Amino acid sequence: MEKKPYHHGNLEESLIEAGIILLDKVGLEQFSLRKVAIACGVSHAAPYKHFNSKQDLLDAMKKYVEKQFSAALKESLEYYKNDPDRIIYFGQAYLKFFIKNPHYFRFFITHTGLEIDLSDLQQNSNYEPFELFKKTAIEEFTFRKIPVALYKQLMIAMWAMVHGVTSLATMEGVIYDNNWVDLLGKILKENQTLEG
């Protein structure tokens, strides 16, 4: 039997990307390393060179999405580091990342296993993107002399707005005739004015 040609490029990353897309299409019950191998056009044994099990691949997918998402957010924070509206640009970077990768958003809300305690902002979560958001929000609140007692409420409101618009923008069947990123910027700016 003739072996399939080895996948060119980074096979591990290709398996992760194919896994995220496949999981989005078939769900966890129908997800398997064998099906991911087929999607990549490699032998059924090839994924086992990188992952010991389906769970191992799922864990790698979680880390991969978190790493890509964190990198996009950090890039925005660095680019706008001296801008008084950087929290707004941070929210827009969040939205842009998931508009570009809607399957990542569906994976994010279903399979990442977030552990974020919004009742205690001193407690660190297991999710770097949220920690970046929390740090940036607290820096803005401090700069704007917002009372500490309002931090939690404002942080939840901002995250809910960004996450909600992202959910709409990545949802199949939802049509909006303007730019989602501009809309989010306006919503956050208006909310910031009301709070200030």
Side-chain angles (χ1 to χ4, degrees), residues 58-117:
L58 287 166
D59 291 342
M61 288 158 52
K62 290 176 191 176
K63 288 177 187 167
Y64 180 81
V65 170
E66 180 177 347
K67 182 178 177 185
Q68 302 300 315
F69 187 26
S70 293
L73 297 176
K74 286 176 182 175
E75 184 178 327
S76 171
L77 288 174
E78 180 59 29
Y79 188 81
Y80 295 106
K81 66 182 172 185
N82 297 317
D83 194 303
D85 288 332
R86 72 185 188 135
I87 192 73
I88 293 173
Y89 298 124
F90 182 94
Q92 289 177 313
Y94 182 115
L95 174 59
K96 286 178 193 174
F97 176 80
F98 287 122
I99 285 176
K100 186 177 175 185
N101 306 286
H103 56 296
Y104 284 4
F105 186 71
R106 291 186 288 273
F107 180 82
F108 166 79
I109 61 175
T110 311
H111 301 288
T112 48
L114 297 179
E115 291 178 13
I116 297 170
D117 185 354

Side-chain angles (χ1 to χ4, degrees), residues 25 34 36-37 53 68 82 85 112 115-116 142 144 195:
K25 287 180 182 174
R34 184 182 183 96
V36 174
S53 64
Q68 302 300 315
N82 297 317
D85 288 332
T112 48
E115 291 178 13
I116 297 170
T142 303
R144 294 173 60 211
E195 290 161 8

Side-chain angles (χ1 to χ4, degrees), residues 16-168:
I16 289 169
E17 283 282 359
I20 295 167
I21 292 167
L22 181 67
L23 185 62
D24 189 42
K25 287 180 182 174
V26 304
L28 192 56
E29 293 298 316
Q30 299 299 315
F31 183 79
S32 69
L33 282 174
R34 184 182 183 96
K35 288 179 181 174
V36 174
I38 291 168
C40 282
V42 296
S43 73
H44 297 155
Y48 290 96
K49 294 177 182 173
H50 301 279
F51 309 105
N52 296 323
S53 64
K54 177 171 96 170
Q55 187 58 54
D56 197 22
L57 174 55
L58 287 166
D59 291 342
M61 288 158 52
K62 290 176 191 176
K63 288 177 187 167
Y64 180 81
V65 170
E66 180 177 347
K67 182 178 177 185
Q68 302 300 315
F69 187 26
S70 293
L73 297 176
K74 286 176 182 175
E75 184 178 327
S76 171
L77 288 174
E78 180 59 29
Y79 188 81
Y80 295 106
K81 66 182 172 185
N82 297 317
D83 194 303
D85 288 332
R86 72 185 188 135
I87 192 73
I88 293 173
Y89 298 124
F90 182 94
Q92 289 177 313
Y94 182 115
L95 174 59
K96 286 178 193 174
F97 176 80
F98 287 122
I99 285 176
K100 186 177 175 185
N101 306 286
H103 56 296
Y104 284 4
F105 186 71
R106 291 186 288 273
F107 180 82
F108 166 79
I109 61 175
T110 311
H111 301 288
T112 48
L114 297 179
E115 291 178 13
I116 297 170
D117 185 354
L118 292 171
S119 60
D120 182 5
L121 297 180
Q122 299 299 318
Q123 186 71 28
N124 288 336
S125 72
N126 70 339
Y127 199 64
E128 184 181 18
F130 178 75
E131 291 303 311
L132 290 169
F133 163 63
K134 181 172 71 173
K135 179 179 183 293
T136 305
I138 289 172
E139 286 171 359
E140 179 179 331
F141 298 159
T142 303
F143 174 75
R144 294 173 60 211
K145 298 182 172 55
I146 291 172
V148 174
L150 293 177
Y151 283 16
K152 192 187 311 180
Q153 174 187 327
L154 295 177
M155 201 171 295
I156 291 170
M158 281 193 296
W159 191 20
M161 282 185 276
V162 172
H163 192 77
V165 171
T166 302
S167 182
L168 290 172

